[in-house]
Amino acid sequence: MEFDFSAILLALTVLFGVVWGLDRLFFYKKRKARLDATGSEYVDPVAVDWARSLFPVVLVVLLLRSFVAEPFRIPSGSMMPTLDVGDFILVNKFAYGLRMPAFNTKFLDLGEPKRGDVVVFRFPGYLCRRPDGSLIRVGGDEGNGSPAVGSEQSCPSTMLPVQNQNWIKRVIGLPGDTLEVQGSDLLVNGKPVQADEIGPFVGNPQRDEDRLMLDMGATVWTEHLVREDGKVVNHTIARMPAYTTPNSIPNPVVPSKVPPGCYLVMGDNRNNSTDSRWWGCLPEKNLAGKAFMIWMSWKGWGTGGVDFHRIGRIIH
């Protein structure tokens, strides 16, 4: 099961608050009066003392993580070269509205994602077709590589529950947009998305993710994604056609036109990303926030350690 730190923080906040509050309402005065009558120094019971001390600390952490910024760690190479495995990022939790901790229910709308935003979200599950033709969301894991072409890998079982996982991708299509994806060719609303080749991918062959890209002859490109307001988002992507051929859009479960309340997202590592090409659109209700900065980058013992050059980098 996915470790849900927000749910644990919420539970601890409620627990400490209830223990401290009930004690102050029903037990504190009597206990203090009894100790004063005997001339003893007043001391809270251990459980109450812990609750009183920890409640404000846990509450502040919960509020900061839920409504201001939350840290995440990048676990896979699907966003390389923009985000590397071992990058620790900060996510703006109020960019698209405020949501209830743990439940993710929006109670204040502050905006919507823009084309080119890097977003963190709760994995919605693969969009799979039942024998009767209806579609259903089913579970799956974010691996180092994309699933093979075909429903056998992307839809292993229509009974598999969706796991509670946080994923990160780039928004390519907004509600109402028309997308066409064929290999490395990407068209948004009928206009090709331009990209300029920078050169071969350069990495550390001692790291698994880098070695895969080096073995597959990955190249790095600057992609120019045009936003709805005409602003161009310039960001890096990786291509390695020798590794795998992702699903095209449209396909049997992903239409070319993005439905209302949904977004099409893709990883910057275009041939090694399990994204909307496999599992369909990202529902707006699954959004967690907008990634905006790398605050730490750990490459691992013996394979780079702390990468100080990446610390403080703004995510585009």
Side-chain angles (χ1 to χ4, degrees):
M1 178 179 290
E2 183 75 5
F3 181 71
D4 194 337
F5 192 55
S6 295
I8 294 174
L9 278 177
L10 179 60
L12 289 175
T13 302
V14 172
L15 174 63
F16 293 150
V18 168
V19 170
W20 186 25
L22 289 178
D23 178 76
R24 285 302 185 263
L25 284 174
F26 300 108
F27 305 111
Y28 169 73
K29 290 183 179 179
K30 293 181 180 179
R31 185 171 60 245
K32 188 174 187 305
R34 185 172 63 252
L35 292 175
D36 288 345
T38 62
S40 301
E41 181 181 358
Y42 176 80
V43 179
D44 277 326
V46 175
V48 175
D49 185 53
W50 275 86
R52 177 180 57 81
S53 301
L54 293 177
F55 172 74
V57 176
V58 177
L59 177 62
V60 169
V61 174
L62 176 67
L63 293 176
L64 289 176
R65 286 177 57 98
S66 301
F67 305 130
V68 182
E70 184 173 3
F72 288 92
R73 179 184 179 276
I74 302 301
S76 77
S78 69
M79 283 296 292
M80 292 174 68
T82 303
L83 296 173
D84 205 351
V85 178
D87 282 348
F88 291 81
I89 65 171
L90 287 177
V91 173
N92 183 338
K93 297 304 293 287
F94 58 85
Y96 309 130
L98 298 181
R99 299 176 183 270
M100 290 295 295
F103 299 99
N104 211 42
T105 304
K106 182 185 288 189
F107 63 88
L108 180 62
D109 191 359
L110 297 175
E112 301 295 337
K114 297 178 180 178
R115 195 179 298 116
D117 284 0
V118 177
V119 296
V120 170
F121 55 93
R122 290 177 180 266
F123 173 57
Y126 287 100
L127 191 61
C128 300
R129 194 175 298 278
R130 288 191 177 108
D132 63 4
S134 62
L135 295 176
I136 184 175
R137 294 281 185 179
V138 301
D141 292 312
E142 170 75 310
N144 290 327
S146 299
V149 176
S151 61
E152 293 82 3
Q153 291 293 330
S154 57
C155 298
S157 169
T158 55
M159 301 298 292
L160 190 64
V162 178
Q163 298 184 20
N164 182 20
Q165 296 176 323
N166 289 307
W167 285 28
I168 183 167
K169 305 292 178 188
R170 187 179 299 276
V171 175
I172 304 297
L174 304 176
D177 281 349
T178 299
L179 261 70
E180 297 178 47
V181 181
Q182 185 70 44
S184 298
D185 297 327
L186 172 61
L187 282 78
V188 178
N189 296 324
K191 297 180 180 180
V193 176
Q194 302 297 323
D196 301 319
E197 185 173 359
I198 297 174
F201 171 78
V202 178
N204 182 353
Q206 293 181 312
R207 302 182 74 228
D208 293 340
E209 299 79 11
D210 290 16
R211 185 169 60 252
L212 171 65
M213 296 179 71
L214 291 169
D215 290 345
M216 293 294 111
T219 53
V220 179
W221 300 65
T222 299
E223 186 173 76
H224 312 289
L225 194 59
V226 182
R227 281 185 171 167
E228 56 276 21
D229 58 4
K231 180 181 178 181
V232 179
V233 179
N234 299 311
H235 60 97
T236 55
I237 64 171
R239 295 176 177 174
M240 46 178 177
Y243 179 57
T244 188
T245 302
N247 274 353
S248 300
I249 295 179
N251 63 54
V253 295
V254 186
S256 59
K257 187 169 184 178
V258 186
C262 271
Y263 301 88
L264 287 185
V265 296
M266 295 170 62
D268 287 348
N269 196 347
R270 291 294 163 80
N271 295 85
N272 188 17
S273 173
T274 307
D275 49 41
S276 285
R277 292 169 290 182
W278 301 102
W279 43 258
C281 71
L282 164 65
E284 189 277 339
K285 65 180 181 180
N286 287 55
L287 287 169
K290 178 183 178 182
F292 69 93
M293 188 181 76
I294 300 171
W295 65 271
M296 180 63 176
S297 184
W298 172 251
K299 294 296 183 64
W301 294 108
T303 54
V306 177
D307 189 343
F308 292 98
H309 293 91
R310 297 182 66 82
I311 296 177
R313 182 176 297 183
I314 302 301
I315 299 170
H316 298 288

